[in-house]
Amino acid sequence: MAEWTSAVGAAQLARLISSQQERPAPAVPGARKPPAYRTLADAIRRLVLEGRVAVAARLPAERELAVALALSRTTVAAAYEALRGEGFLESRRGAGSWTSVPAGNPLPARGLEPLPPESLGSMIDLGCAALPAPEPWLTKAVQGALEELPPYAHTHGDYPAGLPALRRMLADRYTEQGIPTMPEQIMVTTGAMGAIDAICTLFAGRGERIAVESPSYANILQLMRAAGVRLVPVAMADGLTGWDMDVWRQVLRDSAPRLAYVVADFHNPTGALASEEQRRAMVEAARSAGTVLVVDETMAELQLDPEHAMPRPVCSFDPAGSTVVTVGSASKAFWAGMRIGWVRAAPDVIRSLVAARAYADLGTPVLEQLAVNWLMRTGGWQEAVRIRREQARENRDALVAAVRRQLPDWEFEVPRGGLTLWARAGGLSGSRLAEVGERVGVRVPSGPRFGVDGAFEGYVRLPFTVGGPVAEEAAARLAAAARLVGTGAGGSGAEPPRTFVA
């Protein structure tokens, strides 16, 4: 069986290699120009490390790539051989050659524990993309829930599909968006993580393939790794344009993954927002491939630039829910401590999820469901989300300004929503920046946390969780860490630091 899970064509790889000329490496005085094979090998290695070519992607045959690049086949063969020697390419007769990362690069799969409370006073924590509760609405919601609790207290309190009132409320919210939805299409879960865990358990057993954006949300990648599935990374396009639909069609057609997981609304970590055309094409590609498309909408309500219209939800292109399974949550739009999530899907899918839940967590806490239902029924949800957007917008603008002042060589694009900024760290190692950053008082997750098998080494994720003087101080500490890493004064360590990523 082949070890590759996706493929990159000769013309596509040639375009990616050509695009690197926009960011040429700095010239070294007196240095000789490297041979052509070395230049080609270095270009492919950078594409793998940056995640623009996925790990486990089959590369074109030597002859095909030579024609596309107008190089000799000998040059391409020498470049492939150099990559094999460095651990960035594996080959087997009859199966071709596919990308990899050296065995010495550890997978960023461990250590997702939160920052210890005793460290909060001295450490600026940029690990969690989560804001404090939007008071007074948390307190009001809990008080309202307590008033409505007595009738439920006289029952067994076990609602595997969720409280009927909240299921109706969530269904009505989708219907108001032009997506007719019945309560039977909704299951309430313990957060979005609980929802996706249940979906993966139902649809994808050990060894099954799941296509994921590359980069993607770190905790979901780890959840899927722990479930024993095979992740098929699909490289995202440059900048905030997000999804290369030609690549997605090819991966879904060639790999036939059981599931595909996407964050189409203010993607975590890049902040990209999928267009309506991309959403429609994604649904069509998944339907053609027989793939269930799991759409994570946890960031959907965090539009920070209201002058730009939001595209329709992905499920509007599959209203019956036969292809698209939608996941929502209160954790980002309201508060991470409110562990309420939900799934919207076809009724038969919901019935299967509910039946399987008896062997998992049985149900979601009643009091928290009542609190979310109270918020949505009274208009408190809209007011809380408005507060959340204002906080995130102010923090985003402060953080962007501070990073531009303190780290002018870092590259990023400012997203129109969500809670995260995806930054190319000026040619430095994101893992080393994360390690040294903790020593100087700032905690930041490195790029490989969000990739498959060690990609995105040159990136870090910066959430919009601090503003004002704290944002300026965070950027100053990151700049201090960057200076230490750049001069080699930060020490060494093979394993990336342990960082919680929310």
Side-chain angles (χ1 to χ4, degrees):
M1 182 176 177
E3 298 296 330
W4 51 274
T5 56
S6 61
V8 56
Q12 179 190 359
L13 184 55
R15 286 194 301 270
L16 290 170
I17 291 169
S18 176
S19 71
Q20 289 198 339
Q21 295 174 357
E22 300 172 6
R23 295 189 294 267
V28 179
R32 297 175 59 186
K33 183 178 179 180
Y37 85 88
R38 184 69 263 170
T39 299
L40 176 58
D42 289 345
I44 295 174
R45 175 177 54 80
R46 284 194 298 271
L47 289 171
V48 173
L49 288 175
E50 293 179 359
R52 300 179 69 198
V53 169
V55 176
R58 189 174 71 164
L59 296 187
E62 296 168 0
R63 189 186 303 277
E64 294 174 0
L65 186 57
V67 171
L69 294 173
L71 294 173
S72 71
R73 183 178 178 182
T74 302
T75 297
V76 176
Y80 277 18
E81 183 60 34
L83 290 168
R84 275 189 287 269
E86 296 164 1
F88 286 95
L89 197 68
E90 296 182 24
S91 304
R92 190 169 70 242
R93 186 178 298 277
S97 298
W98 56 92
T99 57
S100 62
V101 292
N105 286 19
L107 293 180
R110 302 190 306 279
L112 301 181
E113 70 275 8
L115 185 68
E118 63 270 16
S119 300
L120 290 173
S122 59
M123 184 78 68
I124 298 176
D125 187 6
L126 298 182
C128 296
L131 290 163
E135 287 287 35
W137 293 106
L138 174 62
T139 299
K140 289 184 175 182
V142 173
Q143 290 171 341
L146 286 171
E147 292 175 0
E148 298 176 4
L149 182 61
Y152 296 93
H154 294 292
T155 74
H156 50 61
D158 186 5
Y159 297 89
L163 291 184
L166 182 54
R167 296 177 74 194
R168 284 193 300 271
M169 179 65 67
L170 293 168
D172 289 345
R173 282 168 57 85
Y174 281 106
T175 301
E176 289 167 4
Q177 296 180 71
I179 310 158
T181 303
M182 304 178 295
E184 292 79 8
Q185 290 179 262
I186 301 292
M187 181 176 84
V188 181
T189 64
T190 308
M193 291 288 289
I196 294 170
D197 184 37
I199 293 165
C200 290
T201 300
L202 178 64
F203 285 102
R206 298 189 69 85
E208 293 273 11
R209 292 178 175 179
I210 299 181
V212 295
E213 297 144 329
S214 184
S216 187
Y217 178 34
N219 285 344
I220 293 297
L221 294 181
Q222 176 59 6
L223 182 155
M224 293 176 178
R225 289 187 187 103
V229 302
R230 297 184 65 189
L231 297 179
V232 182
V234 186
M236 296 189 75
D238 268 353
L240 298 182
T241 56
W243 294 260
D244 186 327
M245 289 315 306
D246 288 338
V247 174
W248 270 100
R249 290 187 190 95
Q250 180 179 350
V251 169
L252 295 183
R253 182 181 64 247
D254 294 348
S255 298
R258 188 71 183 90
L259 296 177
Y261 169 76
V262 298
V263 186
D265 297 284
F266 309 121
H267 175 262
N268 186 354
T270 69
L273 177 66
S275 67
E276 284 208 6
E277 293 75 15
Q278 289 170 328
R279 293 164 190 244
R280 181 183 293 106
M282 184 76 73
V283 174
E284 291 173 353
R287 184 180 292 121
S288 297
T291 297
V292 176
L293 185 63
V294 182
V295 180
D296 187 335
E297 289 187 340
T298 54
M299 295 283 191
E301 296 193 63
L302 294 178
Q303 180 187 13
L304 305 185
D305 296 336
E307 64 273 16
H308 298 283
M310 284 289 292
R312 286 178 290 170
V314 177
C315 60
S316 67
F317 301 101
D318 178 50
S322 58
T323 296
V324 176
V325 175
T326 301
V327 172
S329 172
S331 66
K332 300 298 185 184
F334 185 73
W335 184 46
M338 187 69 76
R339 305 305 304 162
I340 297 295
W342 54 86
V343 179
R344 181 198 181 275
D348 61 321
V349 172
I350 296 298
R351 286 193 295 271
S352 297
L353 289 170
V354 171
R357 194 171 194 179
Y359 309 101
D361 64 353
L362 294 179
T364 301
V366 169
L367 187 63
E368 292 185 26
Q369 292 186 72
L370 288 172
V372 171
N373 188 61
W374 183 93
L375 284 166
M376 292 181 173
R377 189 185 71 248
T378 62
W381 179 270
Q382 289 83 349
E383 285 301 307
V385 169
R386 181 186 59 79
I387 293 171
R388 171 67 74 243
R389 287 171 176 163
E390 290 177 357
Q391 290 175 318
R393 185 184 304 114
E394 291 174 1
N395 289 354
R396 178 196 64 180
D397 296 345
L399 185 65
V400 165
V403 172
R404 283 175 172 165
R405 280 191 295 269
Q406 300 281 355
L407 295 152
D409 58 334
W410 283 26
E411 302 173 49
F412 56 84
E413 295 187 47
V414 182
R416 295 173 179 172
L419 290 172
T420 58
L421 188 73
W422 185 240
R424 186 193 299 270
L428 300 176
S429 161
S431 297
R432 297 289 299 116
L433 280 167
E435 181 179 358
V436 176
E438 291 209 29
R439 300 183 204 165
V440 299
V442 60
R443 208 168 197 230
V444 60
S446 62
R449 298 284 182 198
F450 305 89
V452 176
D453 295 341
F456 305 107
E457 182 56 57
Y459 291 81
V460 294
R461 190 195 73 170
L462 307 177
F464 311 143
T465 52
V466 295
V470 181
E472 191 69 39
E473 178 62 22
R477 295 184 187 185
L478 279 174
R483 287 191 294 271
L484 289 171
V485 172
T487 59
S492 62
E495 183 175 353
R498 299 184 173 188
T499 305
F500 174 75
V501 181

